[in-house]
């Protein structure tokens, strides 16, 4: 199903999609970094309480809204006639990577709650490794949607 009324706005919709992607990725790269530093300070310390505020605001006011707007404009692009060839391999790989990126977002939110309630058990090294996941997914997504290798 597509909506012909969207066609005249294709480039505007794509521009807002890419802008919200940039905001989403900025937060997805920064939040696990805060978790790395949060592991370095004692539970209950002033620094730990400050990190809790920073993590909450980053997730609540940047990452969550940016993800919602990325999905909104992404779906509008899907509904724009002629944009998606459902047989194209690149689209299936991109969409799978986007689903994994959204799942990773869910884990970031769950890990934040563990820090909030002083029950984080994961190591600094765990978050350093986790920090690489959105980068790898972003590289796959952008190559797929722009180069379209298959
Ligand atoms: C969240 C769900 C997402 C959906 C449903 C979605 C869907 C789409 C669609 C249908 C297009 C249009 C392709 C075309 O013009 O032919 C597009 C373009 C694009 N998407 Fe997404 N996308 C999503 C997330 C992302 C993410 C997470 C990234 C990057 C990390 C991304 C990067 C891009 C880029 C760079 C373009 C422009 C490509 C171009 O100009 O040719 N998208 N997206």
């Amino acid at each position: 199903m597509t909506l012909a009324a969207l066609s005249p706005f294709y480039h505007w919709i794509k521009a807002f999609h890419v802008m919200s992607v940039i905001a989403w990725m900025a937060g997805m790269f920064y939040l696990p970094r805060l978790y790395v530093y949060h592991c370095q300070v004692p539970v209950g310390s002033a620094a730990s309480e400050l990190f809790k505020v920073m993590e909450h605001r980053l997730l609540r006011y940047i990452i969550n809204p940016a993800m919602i707007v990325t999905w909104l404009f992404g779906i509008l692009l899907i509904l724009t006639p002629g944009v998606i060839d459902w047989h194209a391999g690149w689209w299936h790989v991109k969409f799978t990577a986007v689903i994994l990126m959204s799942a990773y977002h869910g884990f970031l939110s769950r890990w934040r709650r563990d820090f909030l309630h002083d029950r984080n058990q994961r190591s600094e090294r765990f978050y350093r490794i986790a920090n690489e996941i959105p980068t790898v997914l972003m590289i796959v997504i952008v190559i797929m949607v722009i180069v379209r290798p298959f």
Side-chain angles (χ1 to χ4, degrees):
M1 188 200 74
T2 57
L3 301 171
L6 294 172
S7 295
F9 307 102
Y10 166 63
H11 289 102
W12 282 98
I13 298 170
K14 190 153 73 170
F16 281 102
H17 178 63
V18 173
M19 283 186 256
S20 52
V21 160
I22 292 168
W24 189 21
M25 292 307 108
M28 296 282 271
F29 296 160
Y30 187 36
L31 188 53
R33 200 81 228 155
L34 287 178
Y35 296 161
V36 169
Y37 300 137
H38 204 155
C39 288
Q40 296 169 353
V41 300
V43 169
S45 64
S48 176
E49 296 308 311
L50 177 61
F51 278 127
K52 291 180 185 178
V53 174
M54 293 167 72
E55 291 153 4
H56 168 66
R57 291 182 179 166
L58 181 60
L59 192 67
R60 180 81 179 273
Y61 300 118
I62 296 179
I63 302 179
N64 289 349
M67 179 186 76
I68 292 165
V69 178
T70 299
W71 270 100
L72 175 69
F73 285 106
I75 290 168
L76 287 177
L77 285 165
I78 291 174
L79 294 174
T80 305
V83 170
I84 292 297
D85 168 3
W86 291 97
H87 304 291
W90 71 266
W91 169 248
H92 295 282
V93 175
K94 179 188 175 184
F95 201 61
T96 305
V98 164
I99 298 293
L100 292 173
M101 186 78 85
S102 304
Y104 179 81
H105 180 134
F107 282 108
L108 283 180
S109 180
R110 181 192 298 180
W111 298 334
R112 186 194 72 82
R113 284 196 298 278
D114 288 343
F115 277 107
L116 180 67
H117 301 294
D118 297 326
R119 59 172 187 238
N120 172 59
Q121 300 294 326
R122 295 173 197 87
S123 67
E124 185 183 326
R125 186 167 179 279
F126 171 89
Y127 290 115
R128 283 183 192 283
I129 294 169
N131 201 2
E132 302 311 322
I133 295 172
T135 307
V136 172
L137 290 173
M138 181 273 292
I139 292 170
V140 170
I141 292 169
V142 172
I143 289 174
M144 286 302 134
V145 74
I146 294 189
V147 181
R148 304 181 182 201
F150 43 78

